[in-house]
Amino acid sequence: MSHAAPVRVLVAEDFVPYRRFTCSTLARVCGLQIVGEASDGLEALQMAVELRPDLILLDIGLPSLNGIEVARQMRSLVPESKIIFLTQESSAEMVQEALNLGARGYVIKITGASELLTAVETVLSGKTFVSSTEPN
């Protein structure tokens, strides 16, 4: 696969304004292409399997199937997709669980505006990104 091919992104987020914000933020970045938007966990799983995105931005608090469970299933269904969690949940336990599931990134929504693109760049470069959970 040549580097010229865009990175294909699936955004799974049930809160529409935040999903729009996320998509519009990412769409401005050269080389990223939003290929799908899901509003619940089951839809996210189906779309991931159909679209085989390179990157999945996944809300943890999704209806029908939460993001943690979605990620657990995606690991075997679409192992090549990199997952970045987007969440309001900033507990260290949740971060740890997400990373244990193989997520490459963890972005807390309140800091998402400033950290989203950094997280995406970091994860695409092969590293892990975690929002700072403590206010500094």
Side-chain angles (χ1 to χ4, degrees), residues 3-116:
H3 285 295
V7 173
R8 299 166 66 256
V9 184
L10 169 64
V11 177
E13 163 64 65
D14 59 316
F15 184 56
V16 174
Y18 197 82
R19 190 170 74 227
R20 290 210 181 111
F21 159 77
T22 302
C23 290
S24 65
T25 301
L26 295 177
R28 287 199 294 268
V29 178
C30 187
L32 294 182
Q33 179 191 5
I34 308 290
V35 292
E37 295 181 37
S39 55
D40 70 43
L42 289 174
E43 192 181 17
L45 265 182
Q46 285 165 343
M47 291 178 98
V49 171
E50 269 167 51
L51 300 167
R52 301 261 163 204
D54 303 302
L55 184 64
I56 300 168
L57 292 168
L58 187 58
D59 179 25
I60 288 184
L62 286 172
S64 81
L65 204 59
N66 75 42
I68 293 288
E69 192 48 49
V70 171
R72 191 170 280 134
Q73 295 189 34
M74 280 179 181
R75 213 168 35 170
S76 53
L77 294 169
V78 283
E80 69 280 10
S81 298
K82 295 183 163 93
I83 295 173
I84 296 178
F85 279 117
L86 288 174
T87 179
Q88 286 156 341
E89 178 61 67
S90 62
S91 72
E93 296 79 23
M94 190 57 95
V95 173
Q96 197 50 58
E97 184 170 7
L99 296 175
N100 290 348
L101 280 172
R104 306 292 183 87
Y106 194 97
V107 176
I108 293 163
K109 285 182 180 177
I110 202 154
T111 57
S114 55
E115 291 186 333
L116 187 59

